Amino acid sequence: MKKFLIMLAIFIALPVFADTMPFYVESVPKEAIGVYQAGKEIVLYSEPELKSNVIKRFELTYKADSMPGNVFAVLLNDKELGLMYVTDIGDDGWVEVIYDKQTGARGWVLTEDRMQFLPWINFYNLYGRKYGMRVMKDTPKNMLVLRAKSEDLSQPVSKLNHIKKIKLTKVQGNWALVTVQDLDEMPKTGFLQWRDGEGRVYAFPDIK
């Protein structure tokens, strides 16, 4: 047992050797409000001010064998795209990010421009409309329903069983107006609840 735990600890500490994407509901923290797009360096502060302590610093190469693990919500090394979960915003361009998904550790980063922080709606409208959407692998079946309106009790348009493609038109609160191609190849359009009232995310941009 002790040997197993040691091997597990070594495995967890290894750098990321592949791209990273969330595929399960619990992969996305319920308190996340959007994402922060990292550049070549991430400097994390204890408070949203430059005079506070630097608690962590990452130099990013976007080479798979040297990238830190448990940091990114989305990591595509070939595109040099690293996105971190944002949990709070401060004044003058500061955002609080999760820099260790395993422990939930957080720190503050100073954004360089307005596009570095994307609230969920902006993120979905940008990446979801470009790449389409996919549902999380453990999404409950009762969430896989297209509705006529963006309301829980709205009339169902179609149940989704074997989703092949989801095209996003717009995001409206916790709902997304989408066109879905299912196993029968017939496009179905309606509102899909991409997030519930407690912050659980069931559908995510299918970034490639």
Side-chain angles (χ1 to χ4, degrees), residues 129-148:
R129 292 178 68 178
K130 181 177 181 179
Y131 295 103
M133 303 265 284
R134 58 173 172 78
V135 295
M136 298 298 191
K137 293 182 178 181
D138 56 344
T139 297
K141 289 185 177 180
N142 67 299
M143 301 299 293
L144 299 177
V145 179
L146 292 183
R147 298 190 178 275

